[in-house]
């Protein structure tokens, strides 16, 4: 614990992962970081602490450098990655580019479940009338190549606990695994709801009482 970070392996169904399948890594200074992580994954300023007890596990998750973005930039306690179809569809349908940040965004407001999402800067929950904004970045051929674009997006959206990857999925983090899991579930609910609302031509972010 403390500086240690527990990371899932590559190529193992996540619902089947056991304690003996987990890698342990830690942050390190440049002089200490002399080797790539298992599987040849080069993660800046990260070193292997211990291999999984299961000798059959050889490769750490390719998502590791993206997980490290959340740990380093948000001091996250846990990071989850989902390939939810709802997040994927939302990433394709949300084509509203923010002129200030340069990113497309998923937006929704006036939905009770928004209260399950927090603002990263204040650690307070969003309100019913607040607008939830989740930024979207473009996918790459290899997961590790998302690292820099995800970090830039997180800098542009200091309040976000999530980043959607177009035609891929979503990364969500929290102060604890329970908080991260809760926000994943709330976000997926809101994504699915937004898809159904679009089918009925309902406004996702109503501007007036008449649009509610």
């Amino acid at each position: 614990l403390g500086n240690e970070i527990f990371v899932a392996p590559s190529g193992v169904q996540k619902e089947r992962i056991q304690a003996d399948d987990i890698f342990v890594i830690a942050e390190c200074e440049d002089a200490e970081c002399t080797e790539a992580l298992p599987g040849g994954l080069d993660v800046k300023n990260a070193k292997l602490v211990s291999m999984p007890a299961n000798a059959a596990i050889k490769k750490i998750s390719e998502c590791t450098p993206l997980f490290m973005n959340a740990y380093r930039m948000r001091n996250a306690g846990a990071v989850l990655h989902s390939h939810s179809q709802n997040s994927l569809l939302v990433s394709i349908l949300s084509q509203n580019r923010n002129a200030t940040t340069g990113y497309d965004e998923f937006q929704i407001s006036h939905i009770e479940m928004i209260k399950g999402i927090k603002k990263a800067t204040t650690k307070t929950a969003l309100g019913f009338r607040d607008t939830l904004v989740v930024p979207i970045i473009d996918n790459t051929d290899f997961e590790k190549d998302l690292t820099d674009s995800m970090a830039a997006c997180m800098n542009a959206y200091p309040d976000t606990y999530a980043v959607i990857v177009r035609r891929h999925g979503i990364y969500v983090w929290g102060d604890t695994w329970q908080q991260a899991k809760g926000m994943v579930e709330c976000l997926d609910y809101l994504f699915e709801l937004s898809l159904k609302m679009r089918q009925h031509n309902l406004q996702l972010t109503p501007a007036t009482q008449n649009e509610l």
Side-chain angles (χ1 to χ4, degrees):
L1 297 176
N3 188 42
E4 293 182 341
I5 298 169
F6 299 84
V7 185
S10 176
V12 179
Q13 295 180 39
K14 299 304 181 275
E15 68 273 15
R16 294 180 178 271
I17 290 177
Q18 302 296 315
D20 287 348
D21 300 333
I22 300 297
F23 291 86
V24 182
I25 65 173
E27 293 198 86
C28 57
E29 300 299 328
D30 288 340
E32 300 176 288
C33 301
T34 57
E35 297 182 1
L37 296 179
L41 188 63
D42 188 13
V43 180
K44 185 178 180 181
N45 297 114
K47 65 179 180 180
L48 179 69
V49 174
S50 64
M51 288 287 291
N54 181 352
I57 304 295
K58 303 295 186 184
K59 184 178 180 182
I60 198 168
S61 171
E62 192 173 332
C63 303
T64 303
L66 289 91
F67 297 153
M68 295 300 292
N69 278 343
Y71 292 132
R72 289 167 171 161
M73 299 173 65
R74 294 288 199 272
N75 196 30
V79 191
L80 300 177
H81 177 42
S82 167
H83 291 157
S84 157
Q85 291 185 19
N86 294 323
S87 64
L88 190 149
L89 285 169
V90 159
S91 76
I92 297 171
L93 292 170
S94 300
Q95 301 284 344
N96 50 329
R97 186 63 53 99
N98 184 310
T100 301
T101 65
Y103 293 93
D104 285 335
E105 300 172 342
F106 168 79
Q107 296 187 8
I108 193 169
S109 68
H110 292 81
I111 302 295
E112 184 70 11
M113 194 63 80
I114 288 172
K115 294 179 180 179
I117 308 299
K118 293 182 179 294
K119 293 178 65 175
T121 54
T122 63
K123 306 293 186 179
T124 57
L126 293 174
F128 169 72
R129 299 180 191 279
D130 290 330
T131 299
L132 168 66
V133 177
V134 185
I136 302 169
I137 61 175
D138 289 325
N139 196 27
T140 56
D141 290 332
F142 299 98
E143 200 119 20
K144 62 184 180 181
D145 295 335
L146 290 166
T147 307
D148 291 343
S149 59
M150 177 182 171
C153 181
M154 290 171 67
N155 280 327
Y157 291 83
D159 270 330
T160 193
Y161 271 99
V163 172
I164 298 170
V165 183
R166 180 169 282 120
R167 295 179 179 271
H168 182 148
I170 187 170
Y171 285 86
V172 183
W173 54 91
D175 296 336
T176 64
W177 71 262
Q178 294 93 334
Q179 186 186 89
K181 178 177 181 289
M183 285 196 283
V184 165
E185 292 169 348
C186 287
L187 286 166
D188 201 61
Y189 171 98
L190 292 165
F191 294 157
E192 182 178 6
L193 178 65
S194 74
L195 297 172
K196 293 177 179 178
M197 290 175 69
R198 286 176 182 272
Q199 293 173 355
H200 295 281
N201 295 316
L202 297 175
Q203 295 291 322
L204 301 186
T205 54
T208 67
Q209 187 68 26
N210 291 334
E211 292 179 339
L212 291 175

